Amino acid sequence: MNYKYKLGFIGCGNMAKAIINGLLDSKLLATKDILVSTPSISAPYRGVSFSNNNQDVVSTCEYVVLAVKPQIFKAISADFTNNKCKCVISIMAGVNTDTIAKVCNCNQVIRIMPNTPCSIGEGVSAITSFNADADSNEFVENIFKTISKVVRVEEKYFDAVTSISGSGPAYVYYFIKAMIDGGIKGGLSFDQSKELTIATMIGASKMVANSSEELDTLIQKVCSKGGTTIQAINTFREKSVDKSIIEGIEKCRKRSEELSKG
C-alpha cells in the first residue's frame, strides 16, 4: 500500500513533541513525512502537517504513534474502525499490546515506555513488540534512538520498567534536592550547592557506567575508615534508606500493575 505519510501521531503532548524534535533534528524524517492529529490546532509544530481528525492519521500513515493518555484511548477507539496503517506504536502506560492490536484493528503493535529526559535527548526507552516484522522493529528503534537509549524488555516486565526508568527521574530529583538542601545547610548558596550536586551526580553515574567494579566496591573506595564519607553512609544504613527506596519502587510497580488491569 502507498502511504501519504511515513509516521502519524494521535496526540501532540510533550512526549510526541520530543519524538518529532528527535526525528527532525536527526533528519531521520522530514516534515513532509509526518502528520499529527490533535483536537485543537493553534499552530503547526515545527512545520509538520496537522489535522483535527484521527481518521486522517490512521488512513494515510504507514506507522501511527498513540501519544494519548490511556483513558482517552477508549474514547478514540472508533477512529480505528477503518485503520489502514501497517503498525501501531504506543507510548501509553498500562495498555498491553494485545489490547491495542484488537482495539486498533492492527496486527503489528510496538509498545514503548520512554521517560521524561527524552525531551532533552537523554532518555531511556523500553521496547516490546507484538507480531511486528523486522522492518517495523528497526524503524521504531531508530525513532527512539534519536532521543534515548533503547532497551528490549519482555512486556510482562513493563510494570517494573515503569517503577525504574518511567518514574525514576522523580527519585533522582528527590535525592538531588536533598543533597542541595544539605549543602545549603552547610553554608553554600543555592547555586553553588546545585552546581556541585549536579556535577557529582553526572560524574558518579558515568563512573558506574564505565566501571567493571561492583557498586559496593565503588562506595567503599570513597569511604575511609574514620573519615567523612563513612559518616553519611553509616547514617543512610542506620535509617535503612536503601530499603525505603526499594519499598517505594515496589509500591510504584504494584500501582502500575493495578492500572494495567484497568
Side-chain angles (χ1 to χ4, degrees):
M1 180 174 175
N2 292 322
Y3 293 95
K4 185 176 180 180
Y5 301 96
K6 183 70 173 179
L7 185 67
F9 289 81
I10 294 180
C12 194
N14 292 332
M15 191 57 67
K17 289 177 180 177
I19 297 168
I20 292 170
N21 287 339
L23 290 168
L24 298 181
D25 292 345
S26 68
K27 295 181 169 52
L28 183 63
L29 293 180
T31 54
K32 66 179 179 61
D33 301 316
I34 303 171
L35 174 65
V36 175
S37 173
T38 185
S40 58
I41 304 171
S42 55
Y45 185 71
R46 292 200 60 173
V48 303
S49 297
F50 268 73
S51 170
N52 58 9
N53 190 339
N54 295 334
Q55 293 179 27
D56 290 341
V57 172
V58 303
S59 63
T60 63
C61 299
E62 183 175 3
Y63 294 87
V64 172
V65 179
L66 283 171
V68 297
K69 296 183 183 301
Q71 56 268 35
I72 296 176
F73 179 50
K74 295 179 180 179
I76 65 171
S77 60
D79 294 329
F80 286 88
T81 302
N82 296 311
N83 184 20
K84 292 180 173 61
C85 79
K86 174 185 176 182
C87 177
V88 172
I89 305 159
S90 172
I91 60 173
M92 296 185 299
V95 184
N96 63 42
T97 54
D98 183 59
T99 298
I100 294 166
K102 291 174 182 175
V103 172
C104 295
N105 298 302
C106 187
N107 188 47
Q108 295 190 44
V109 177
I110 297 178
R111 183 180 172 192
I112 312 287
M113 174 61 71
N115 63 3
T116 53
C118 286
S119 63
I120 59 167
E122 294 289 343
V124 62
S125 300
I127 181 171
T128 193
S129 303
F130 178 86
N131 291 333
D133 61 26
D135 288 344
S136 294
N137 278 310
E138 182 180 11
F139 177 63
V140 174
E141 285 192 21
N142 286 337
I143 290 174
F144 285 88
K145 283 178 181 177
T146 67
I147 56 172
S148 66
K149 294 182 180 295
V150 174
V151 181
R152 279 269 166 192
V153 180
E154 290 182 59
E155 187 167 25
K156 63 183 178 180
Y157 299 121
F158 257 50
D159 294 313
V161 169
T162 298
S163 71
I164 296 297
S165 62
S167 301
Y171 314 156
V172 177
Y173 304 151
Y174 188 89
F175 195 75
I176 287 174
K177 183 180 184 300
M179 286 182 65
I180 292 172
D181 289 346
I184 292 171
K185 192 171 183 179
L188 295 172
S189 70
F190 173 82
D191 289 340
Q192 289 172 326
S193 192
K194 180 181 177 182
E195 184 174 6
L196 289 166
T197 297
I198 292 172
T200 300
M201 292 289 288
I202 292 171
S205 296
K206 289 183 176 179
M207 284 281 288
V208 174
N210 292 292
S211 176
S212 59
E213 294 183 300
E214 297 290 334
L215 282 165
D216 284 338
T217 301
L218 292 176
I219 293 169
Q220 194 58 43
K221 281 190 171 184
V222 190
C223 298
S224 300
K225 188 176 181 180
T228 57
T229 308
I230 193 64
Q231 300 303 312
I233 295 299
N234 282 343
T235 299
F236 297 156
R237 287 169 175 164
E238 289 168 6
K239 300 290 186 181
S240 298
V241 172
D242 57 342
K243 292 180 180 178
S244 294
I245 293 170
I246 293 168
E247 182 181 351
I249 290 170
E250 287 179 342
K251 287 186 176 182
C252 178
R253 186 185 69 247
K254 288 176 181 177
R255 179 56 178 159
S256 179
E257 290 171 354
E258 291 172 0
L259 293 173
S260 296
K261 293 173 182 177

